Amino acid sequence: MSIYELIIIDPTDPVYDPLWRQGAYVFPFITRLGVTLSIFGWSTGSSLQQSSNLWTYESVAACHLILSGLCVLASIWHWTFWNLDLFSTTRSRVLALDLVRLFGIHLSLASTLCFGFGLGHLTGFFGPGFWSSDALGIVGTIRYVKPVYSIIGLTPYCYGSIAAHHIVAGLVGISVGLWQTASRPGPSLYSLLGLANIEATLSSSIASVFFSGFITSGLVWYGSLSTSLELFGPTRFEWDTGYFSLNIESRVKSIDGLLQKQAWESVPDKVVLYDYIGNNPAKGGLFRSGPMLKGDGIFQNWLGQASFEVGALPVSVRRMPAFFETFPVVLVDLGGTVRADIPFRRAESRYSLEQTKVI
């Protein structure tokens, strides 16, 4: 998948043609973990730290190909030679296949990976860091994340809680795994974990992968701190709450009315793009085929905000609600009163642009 995206992705315009508008699925996840360079000289972002150029999009794709091939070979080998007498029983000291210890080893290895990711990868101790950004998705880049163990880490806007969670969860998992390896569980725990079944014990190693997949897929739809706007685009949370439109409105109102043009020009281009109705993830849904840019094209520039007036009264286009499939063009004043519209049936219209003399 990453090789396919390497072929179709155009990284030349990260503002108006970002990864998420091009239908990239794997690239945002790779970039989020600190890979922003390509061996062909282009980059999808910047890094505040001087990291090694060893990890590029191409090297990540090659490593995954090699790893998947080794996993296939290992699974075939284990399927053939499953009855391996590697453990010494506690009572008779006879070599046997101890499924309880096998489960503990799997848990210890998965927890070690979790601990290493939090301490080494995220903090920059032995890794590139993590993609972090501001609340509006404007200044996103790769940064080192310092673990936060205080009460501040409980807020949903603290990157340090991600690193701290992986470190603590890894330590707890390693302790439980070592205990599981060195001791014998009770009958209830033995039955609950299915330790008498070799298939259940061997498949316990993928439990952590399934857990991570469920968490990731759940956070992508409604968004979280780890799903940055520059990489994954707007989520249902921003659209259902009018997050970007309210920010744009506050920016414009904070400047005197005589400088409305300058106020709209001061709005960052990324925020304007996020607030575009075509980027709403609810629009199209299952019926949207292919990337967004194949539907409404590639953006070149933002020409500015259109302003309308009915006499001396300024009006603006009513924002389309997120749960509507179709919505008429309605112009409202500052108080929310409808002043003009583009009617579906012109013969019965009373507020058409021509009748209300909208300019």
Side-chain angles (χ1 to χ4, degrees):
M1 188 67 183
S2 57
I3 296 177
Y4 169 73
E5 291 184 4
L6 279 170
I7 299 174
I8 66 171
I9 290 299
D10 180 13
T12 56
D13 190 358
V15 177
Y16 287 107
D17 193 21
L19 295 176
W20 50 272
R21 276 192 58 85
Q22 301 183 52
Y25 178 76
V26 178
F27 263 38
F29 290 94
I30 299 177
T31 306
R32 181 172 65 172
L33 296 180
V35 179
T36 59
L37 300 176
S38 171
I39 60 175
F40 297 104
W42 54 267
S43 173
T44 55
S46 59
S47 177
L48 300 181
Q49 291 81 22
Q50 296 296 328
S51 58
S52 173
N53 294 334
L54 173 64
W55 292 109
T56 62
Y57 290 109
E58 291 78 11
S59 63
V60 170
C63 288
H64 278 79
L65 287 174
I66 297 173
L67 178 62
S68 61
L70 293 177
C71 288
V72 171
L73 294 177
S75 63
I76 295 175
W77 188 88
H78 276 281
W79 187 267
T80 305
F81 305 99
W82 64 272
N83 193 10
L84 299 177
D85 298 333
L86 299 178
F87 302 96
S88 176
T89 59
T90 56
R91 293 182 178 179
S92 60
R93 298 300 177 182
V94 178
L95 292 179
L97 181 61
D98 194 337
L99 298 182
V100 177
R101 293 182 180 178
L102 196 60
F103 178 82
I105 292 175
H106 281 168
L107 181 58
S108 300
L109 292 177
S111 301
T112 302
L113 182 62
C114 178
F115 174 78
F117 177 74
L119 181 63
H121 189 108
L122 295 181
T123 62
F125 181 74
F126 189 71
F130 192 76
W131 183 285
S132 58
S133 183
D134 61 316
L136 294 175
I138 301 176
V139 295
T141 186
I142 303 297
R143 298 179 176 90
Y144 296 155
V145 180
K146 181 180 179 180
V148 176
Y149 301 100
S150 64
I151 194 68
I152 302 176
L154 297 178
T155 64
Y157 308 105
C158 179
Y159 283 99
S161 61
I162 301 177
H165 161 76
H166 282 84
I167 293 175
V168 173
L171 288 175
V172 173
I174 292 174
S175 303
V176 175
L178 294 178
W179 170 83
Q180 188 75 27
T181 304
S183 63
R184 313 304 297 179
S188 58
L189 187 60
Y190 189 88
S191 176
L192 179 64
L193 298 177
L195 296 178
N197 188 346
I198 186 172
E199 285 82 5
T201 305
L202 292 178
S203 62
S204 63
S205 59
I206 64 175
S208 59
V209 180
F210 277 143
F211 177 76
S212 303
F214 290 146
I215 295 298
T216 302
S217 60
L219 295 179
V220 165
W221 179 243
Y222 255 102
S224 68
L225 188 69
S226 59
T227 54
S228 178
L229 290 168
E230 292 101 332
L231 303 179
F232 296 91
T235 63
R236 284 297 304 272
F237 168 77
E238 285 91 7
W239 270 96
D240 291 351
T241 59
Y243 182 74
F244 299 109
S245 61
L246 293 176
N247 180 269
I248 293 175
E249 184 179 350
S250 64
R251 287 173 181 265
V252 175
K253 286 185 178 180
S254 62
I255 301 180
D256 192 359
L258 297 177
L259 302 173
Q260 288 297 305
K261 181 178 179 181
Q262 291 80 353
W264 281 103
E265 290 177 352
S266 66
V267 178
D269 292 344
K270 285 186 176 181
V271 179
V272 176
L273 181 66
Y274 296 148
D275 195 50
Y276 167 55
I277 187 66
N279 293 333
N280 186 346
K283 299 307 171 187
L286 298 175
F287 305 102
R288 173 183 284 161
S289 177
M292 294 180 179
L293 56 82
K294 288 188 176 180
D296 48 17
I298 301 176
F299 297 138
Q300 299 294 329
N301 198 0
W302 182 53
L303 300 180
Q305 174 69 12
S307 60
F308 304 94
E309 291 183 353
V310 178
L313 186 66
V315 294
S316 59
V317 178
R318 169 71 167 84
R319 181 180 178 85
M320 180 179 182
F323 50 87
F324 275 70
E325 288 293 336
T326 59
F327 196 74
V329 179
V330 179
L331 279 73
V332 298
D333 58 15
L334 297 178
T337 304
V338 177
R339 296 294 180 177
D341 63 8
I342 298 179
F344 288 124
R345 301 184 64 181
R346 299 180 63 86
E348 302 176 2
S349 65
R350 292 184 300 168
Y351 294 95
S352 65
L353 302 183
E354 295 81 6
Q355 290 174 305
T356 55
K357 296 181 173 56
V358 175
I359 58 173

